[in-house]
Amino acid sequence: MTLQAKLDAFKADFKAGKPPYNAPAHIHPIMERATKELIASGAADRALKVGDKAPAFTLPDPEGKAVSSSELLAKGPLVLSFYRGVWCPYCNFELQALQQALPQFQELGANLVAISPQTPVNSRKSVRTNSLDFPILSDSANEVAAAFGLRFTLPDYLAELYRALGNNLPIVNGDDSWTLPMPARYVIGRDGIIRYAEVNPDYTQRPEPSDLLPAIKG
């Protein structure tokens, strides 16, 4: 089953109110409204694209060790996945799919890292939950996401819903900004130039990891 097929199946069960989330029906129109508004804003069109120079960054891994994009690119191409957090089931499905593709990336000499605004404690939880062999880096206040053009502020009505559902982003992320990154995948060449870019303001839609392979090979 493809990654998107898994996401579509999960979405259907989630909207049907099935366990383990038992999502109440009234939340879905609210979430869908926020997604439609983000799409209509054109934010994804302003994110970095193929041919752009990728911003350099240094971020902490779950154990607090600084990870530098420059050092990773000195070893080979770099695959980046920006994701929302351990609380997002769609993101967890994608992380699992990237883990399955990791050997293929490594055979081509590429490194893989995921970037999230969550605290290192929650990144450790992501690593454990999804049995990952690649690091998750903590992007405090979505500063690196902003440099890639991915950061957006949740509308007040969506922040209110998240709080009601127990998803308090200021606690999860360790800052009060109520910002998230649009989910995005990048392949960056050793020269720092973006070879592949996929940004989707609809967090339920994700590319297949195999889509990145031609850019890594190139």
Side-chain angles (χ1 to χ4, degrees):
M1 183 181 291
T2 65
L3 170 59
Q4 191 57 53
K6 291 179 181 178
L7 297 179
D8 291 343
F10 170 81
K11 183 178 181 179
D13 287 347
F14 183 70
K15 292 189 70 173
K18 294 183 178 180
Y21 292 94
N22 303 309
H26 77 274
I27 73 171
H28 305 301
I30 299 173
M31 293 179 172
E32 289 166 2
R33 172 190 170 190
T35 297
K36 290 177 181 177
E37 289 177 353
L38 185 57
I39 293 171
S41 75
D45 297 331
R46 297 188 287 274
L48 294 187
K49 298 175 176 61
V50 171
D52 289 337
K53 182 77 172 180
F57 61 83
T58 300
L59 294 172
D61 71 6
E63 307 306 322
K65 177 184 175 183
V67 176
S68 162
S69 61
S70 299
E71 292 179 0
L72 291 173
L73 287 170
K75 302 174 184 178
L78 178 59
V79 178
L80 292 183
S81 174
F82 286 87
Y83 80 106
R84 303 178 340 140
V86 68
W87 52 271
C88 172
Y90 297 94
C91 297
N92 291 326
F93 276 115
E94 182 181 10
L95 291 176
Q96 294 162 19
L98 288 169
Q99 172 63 35
Q100 292 179 343
L102 181 60
Q104 293 176 283
F105 296 161
Q106 293 174 331
E107 287 175 8
L108 296 171
N111 283 291
L112 166 64
V113 298
I115 296 178
S116 165
Q118 66 193 2
T119 63
V121 169
N122 286 305
S123 291
R124 287 197 292 272
K125 183 178 179 181
S126 283
V127 170
R128 289 195 311 272
T129 300
N130 298 294
S131 301
L132 304 181
D133 295 319
F134 58 89
I136 293 176
L137 309 183
S138 292
D139 180 20
S140 180
N142 283 292
E143 294 293 344
V144 174
F148 277 80
L150 305 173
R151 183 173 64 187
F152 72 97
T153 301
L154 275 67
D156 290 343
Y157 66 83
L158 186 60
E160 182 179 349
L161 175 63
Y162 275 25
R163 278 191 290 262
L165 295 174
N167 186 16
N168 195 328
L169 292 186
I171 293 176
V172 174
N173 296 343
D175 86 276
D176 297 327
S177 66
W178 281 97
T179 61
L180 286 175
M182 288 180 287
R185 274 64 40 190
Y186 287 98
V187 174
I188 303 171
R190 296 188 67 174
D191 57 0
I193 301 300
I194 295 172
R195 309 298 185 190
Y196 174 97
E198 197 280 344
V199 181
N200 199 323
D202 182 350
Y203 60 88
T204 69
Q205 302 293 310
R206 309 291 172 107
E208 301 302 320
S210 59
D211 293 347
L212 283 65
L213 295 176
I216 298 173
K217 293 176 182 177

